Amino acid sequence: MAREQVHPDPAGDAAGEHSAHRGIVVGVDGSDHSHCALVWAAREAERRHSPLHIVTAYSVPVFAASGLDGGYATVDDSVIREGAEAILQQALDKVAGYNIEVDASVENGDASGVLLEMTGTAELLVFGTRGRGGFVGRLLGSVSSALPAHAKCPTVTVPLICGDRLGLTTDDKHVRAERVKSGHQPIENVVVVGVDGSEQARVAVLEAAAQAERLSAPLRLVCAVPQYSGSLAWVPAPMDREALFADIQVQLDAGVAWLKSHYPRLQVETQLVDGSPVDILVEASRHVELVVVGTRGRGGFAEMLLGSTSDGVLHHAKGPVMAIPDRDDPRLADRPSFGPMLGDS
């Protein structure tokens, strides 16, 4: 049975309590988009045996007064807070059937700031890609772009089109149009991670490997090589490009050997493709369980910096995307001993 605990009044909480939540945090705003994120987060909490914290946030609008009295006027927040509490109760009801520990809170403040502060202690932050017609301030619309780049823990964005695979329905016209365009594609139980030769990509690979083990899924390392441009346009083709691909594959194989040393039971495969990293990963997101990207790339191969790639994938993905923040990992230290690395000169 789930344990439910609600903190509807932020004034009744100890100062800064929202920053101490551990486990999985999911932001909700009452929209279908946030319901998709909520269900994905609840399933992930079950997989990880982690607690789930549901949060919604609002700030009271301030209006300039008109007339001779001048000054400013604020809105009584009691009605807004009651609406927020109703959204939390709806969310709690939706995850009542999951065997997880659950609590929920209404936070008073900027949604981005509230959720970013929670990433300091959270294991994972989950949210929808945007909110339409949801709670005050459309929480998800204001934060989905800012959070992955600045969060201190991994984040997962869950687009509304994922509703089908999560057992949810929606009347959203954009989702209907996308389904007609894409047709029905079965979802592979595979985790895909984008690699570009940067150290941050290797951090993302390690996190993707852990997630693949939780899902009992193979891990697919995808390296997409864009066409030469600008000062490199003179490079002969196809001979040099074929040699380049052969060299990259050697380095990918060395990376697999390193990864298997840390995850010996994991099934790992590589995919080396010609094309835009954003396009390749977005297309993969249509039919795999999860796509994983790093939030920044440093010294990556062929200018495939994960900073720009992850931003493009997050904006256009058709499935859940996990973004991994830049951080140190002691397991990176032994990577050079397994052979050449992408990005080596």
Side-chain angles (χ1 to χ4, degrees):
M1 293 293 292
R3 178 181 66 83
E4 298 181 1
Q5 181 180 359
V6 183
H7 305 291
D9 186 356
D13 291 341
E17 181 182 338
H18 61 261
S19 66
H21 288 295
R22 300 187 181 276
I24 297 175
V25 173
V26 58
V28 298
D29 68 355
S31 65
D32 288 346
H33 299 76
S34 71
H35 289 163
C36 277
L38 175 66
V39 171
W40 193 96
R43 292 184 177 187
E44 185 67 12
E46 274 195 333
R47 281 191 288 266
R48 298 190 183 204
H49 306 289
S50 295
L52 178 67
H53 178 70
I54 306 169
V55 61
T56 194
Y58 74 94
S59 55
V60 179
V62 179
F63 301 94
S66 59
L68 298 178
D69 53 348
Y72 294 88
T74 60
V75 175
D76 183 350
D77 75 344
S78 59
V79 174
I80 299 176
R81 188 169 64 248
E82 287 174 4
E85 292 170 13
I87 285 172
L88 285 186
Q89 189 56 57
Q90 182 186 36
L92 287 167
D93 292 342
K94 186 171 285 289
V95 300
Y98 291 89
N99 186 27
I100 53 177
E101 180 181 310
V102 185
D103 69 357
S105 67
V106 176
E107 303 292 344
N108 193 341
D110 171 73
S112 297
V114 166
L115 294 177
L116 280 174
E117 187 171 352
M118 288 183 175
T119 66
T121 55
E123 178 181 349
L124 183 70
L125 176 65
V126 183
F127 48 89
T129 52
R130 61 187 179 275
R132 291 181 181 170
F135 182 56
V136 174
R138 285 191 263 177
L139 182 150
L140 300 182
S142 65
V143 303
S144 60
S145 296
L147 282 175
H150 302 287
K152 296 179 177 65
C153 71
T155 63
V156 173
T157 57
V158 185
L160 184 57
I161 198 169
C162 293
D164 278 356
R165 65 173 83 177
L166 295 170
L168 302 174
T169 59
T170 178
D171 294 326
D172 187 280
K173 63 180 181 180
H174 299 281
V175 171
R176 293 201 305 269
E178 178 61 35
R179 287 172 181 160
V180 171
K181 177 182 175 181
S182 301
H184 177 72
Q185 296 188 60
I187 304 301
E188 293 182 84
N189 187 34
V190 173
V191 174
V192 166
V193 57
V195 297
D196 72 347
S198 66
E199 183 170 293
Q200 175 54 24
R202 287 187 279 275
V203 173
V205 165
L206 290 168
E207 188 65 40
Q211 188 66 21
E213 284 201 335
R214 295 185 192 103
L215 291 167
S216 299
L219 177 65
R220 183 178 300 155
L221 279 60
V222 174
C223 182
V225 184
Q227 291 293 328
Y228 291 127
S229 61
S231 62
L232 295 180
W234 57 266
V235 174
M239 183 180 299
D240 284 1
R241 195 156 178 84
E242 291 175 355
L244 173 66
F245 269 63
D247 185 54
I248 294 173
Q249 188 62 58
V250 169
Q251 297 170 64
L252 284 173
D253 292 343
V256 170
W258 163 70
L259 184 62
K260 293 281 286 184
S261 73
H262 295 286
Y263 292 91
R265 296 186 302 274
L266 183 64
Q267 180 182 338
V268 183
E269 58 192 59
T270 62
Q271 184 178 6
L272 178 57
V273 292
D274 196 337
S276 159
V278 172
D279 292 345
I280 297 300
L281 293 175
V282 167
E283 181 60 30
S285 72
R286 297 177 185 273
H287 52 83
V288 300
E289 283 291 344
L290 184 69
V291 170
V292 182
V293 294
T295 53
R296 289 180 291 279
R298 296 178 179 174
F301 172 73
E303 299 182 346
M304 294 160 51
L305 296 182
L306 290 183
S308 58
T309 298
S310 59
D311 187 62
V313 174
L314 287 163
H315 277 86
H316 301 288
K318 309 305 178 185
V321 178
M322 178 181 289
I324 310 303
D326 194 7
R327 56 188 179 186
D328 294 328
D329 192 308
R331 292 173 293 181
L332 297 175
D334 62 358
R335 172 59 185 89
S337 65
F338 286 85
M341 299 190 291
L342 289 173
D344 283 349
S345 56

